[in-house]
Amino acid sequence: MVLNERDSRNERALDVALKMMTAARTAPKGRGLDAVESAVVTGEDILRLSAEMMRLYELTGKPVYQRDSENIKNAQAVLLVGTRRNPMGLNCANCGYVTCGEKPAEVPCAVSSVDVGIALGSAVALAADMRVDTRIMFSVGMAAKSLELLGNGVEQVYGVPVSISSKNPFFDRK
């Protein structure tokens, strides 16, 4: 049997994306509370995500949505990572408010923000160890949040397109 590398890219990219999702899940969390949510998008749903990014471009005029909308079409999978709105009750004031009770609902919990960052770092580190190309994109996360791909109430969403190709399509962009 001969297995050509080109014939199994999608399956291998999906395998890596699923492992990245595991890395995000097992990453350390502030106060030991897990509010991180993640999912993997493939196939037609990548195109749906791309279309929503174009809608956000038309709505906001921000070119990053247009550029990244085209860019994620080069991915075999997209990892989404976000956090549920979940104040930790630490009254740490890192969000800018003295207590969690004073913090407006639309202001994210600083500890949850750090949790998302650690989860993303863990996920992309795993991808790097497997020599798979990625890039963390807030624009993808905004579209995923708009489509509620991680569910209602999930905030601070980021997207990580995953590509197995001869050149990383997520760098050297126009």
Side-chain angles (χ1 to χ4, degrees):
M1 175 181 348
V2 175
L3 298 175
N4 186 300
E5 176 272 332
R6 295 176 192 274
D7 296 335
S8 64
R9 283 185 190 169
N10 288 346
E11 292 143 8
R12 287 180 290 119
L14 176 59
D15 180 58
V16 171
L18 293 172
K19 288 176 174 145
M20 291 169 67
M21 197 164 46
T22 300
R25 170 62 56 225
T26 61
K29 311 293 188 300
R31 201 172 169 209
L33 299 176
D34 188 1
V36 171
E37 297 293 336
S38 63
V40 173
V41 178
T42 62
E44 293 295 317
D45 285 320
I46 291 176
L47 298 178
R48 184 172 151 224
L49 193 57
S50 174
E52 180 63 11
M53 293 169 74
M54 281 305 295
R55 189 187 75 77
L56 291 173
Y57 166 65
E58 292 163 5
L59 184 69
T60 67
K62 293 180 181 178
V64 65
Y65 289 113
Q66 181 181 35
R67 179 197 65 199
D68 292 352
S69 168
E70 289 301 313
N71 208 217
I72 68 168
K73 292 177 184 176
N74 295 312
Q76 286 100 7
V78 177
L79 172 69
L80 303 174
V81 180
T83 185
R84 292 211 167 272
R85 190 171 290 174
N86 187 25
M88 298 292 172
L90 295 171
N91 297 324
C92 67
N94 283 329
C95 66
Y97 294 88
V98 176
T99 68
C100 295
E102 293 176 23
K103 182 184 78 57
E106 64 273 5
V107 174
C109 172
V111 176
S112 293
S113 298
V114 171
D115 286 352
V116 169
I118 293 170
L120 287 163
S122 185
V124 297
L126 183 138
D129 289 346
M130 300 187 83
R131 306 306 179 255
V132 173
D133 296 327
T134 63
R135 184 176 188 125
I136 298 172
M137 298 181 178
F138 88 90
S139 57
V140 175
M142 294 301 287
K145 182 178 170 183
S146 175
L147 293 170
E148 296 184 354
L149 295 181
L150 289 178
N152 187 18
V154 178
E155 304 288 333
Q156 303 180 72
V157 181
Y158 292 84
V160 185
V162 176
S163 173
I164 296 175
S165 59
S166 58
K167 166 87 176 70
N168 187 335
F170 313 124
F171 286 87
D172 301 329
R173 306 174 302 164
K174 293 180 183 178

